[in-house]
Amino acid sequence: MPFIREIRRTISDRLAERRAHQQLSAELAAFRTAAERTELDLVLGRHTAEETREIEAILSRQDAERRYQSTVQSISLSGQH
């Protein structure tokens, strides 16, 4: 049954990674203002690209989502469909 234990451990590890990623995403979403993002960028600048890869990817996705939502809202408010 070592095979089944390995599968369970793999699933458990992936769930833990997913939870950690979701928590990190939620924490990074709090950095919304220009000043907060500048401060965050300064902190990230002290680390290598390898070390900040996941954070940069999350921030890029969040920025894209905010731009999309802003565009959708602008279109909706202007009455265009």
Side-chain angles (χ1 to χ4, degrees):
M1 296 296 192
F3 179 70
I4 291 176
R5 271 187 250 131
E6 181 64 29
I7 290 173
R8 285 180 178 160
R9 187 175 334 117
T10 299
I11 291 170
S12 177
D13 290 348
R14 287 185 182 173
L15 289 173
E17 288 174 15
R18 177 176 281 159
R19 277 188 229 109
H21 183 83
Q22 289 171 337
Q23 182 177 350
L24 178 59
S25 293
E27 290 173 6
L28 290 171
F31 292 88
R32 296 187 74 119
T33 68
E36 290 169 337
R37 284 300 299 272
T38 298
E39 184 178 347
L40 181 59
D41 288 340
L42 289 172
V43 171
L44 294 175
R46 297 181 200 138
H47 300 275
T48 66
E50 178 72 26
E51 293 170 329
T52 61
R53 182 170 287 128
E54 181 180 12
I55 293 171
E56 295 290 354
I58 291 169
L59 291 172
S60 292
R61 279 192 300 275
Q62 289 175 347
D63 288 344
E65 179 64 26
R66 286 183 186 123
R67 284 191 304 273
Y68 173 78
Q69 292 299 328
S70 176
T71 301
V72 168
Q73 186 177 20
S74 294
I75 291 170
S76 177
L77 291 176
S78 68
Q80 299 174 358
H81 297 281

